[in-house]
Amino acid sequence: MLAKIKSLFQDRCPDCSEPLIAESDHLRCIKSCPNQHYTEETYCHLNVRIIYHS
């Protein structure tokens, strides 16, 4: 039951439904698909989100 609830809050790739891998530093947060289908860059201090689809 807990695993099902946790999966609701996990970001997934829109193409293959794999969980996204997140990395962050002091400027940005990058979430990417392990199969290179989708990448999302978020720059919080600029309120900018860039999404790449391949």
Side-chain angles (χ1 to χ4, degrees), residues 1-33:
M1 177 75 177
L2 186 59
K4 182 67 174 175
I5 293 172
K6 185 178 177 182
S7 71
L8 293 174
F9 297 102
Q10 195 171 39
D11 292 329
R12 296 193 169 271
C13 176
D15 293 334
C16 66
S17 298
E18 288 288 323
L20 297 178
I21 299 170
E23 325 175 350
S24 63
D25 57 21
H26 65 283
L27 293 178
R28 64 185 177 193
C29 176
I30 300 173
K31 296 178 185 175
S32 60
C33 173

Side-chain angles (χ1 to χ4, degrees), residues 27-46:
L27 293 178
R28 64 185 177 193
C29 176
I30 300 173
K31 296 178 185 175
S32 60
C33 173
N35 299 323
Q36 306 299 323
H37 296 139
Y38 178 86
T39 302
E40 177 181 317
E41 293 183 22
T42 304
Y43 298 89
C44 293
H45 60 286
L46 298 174

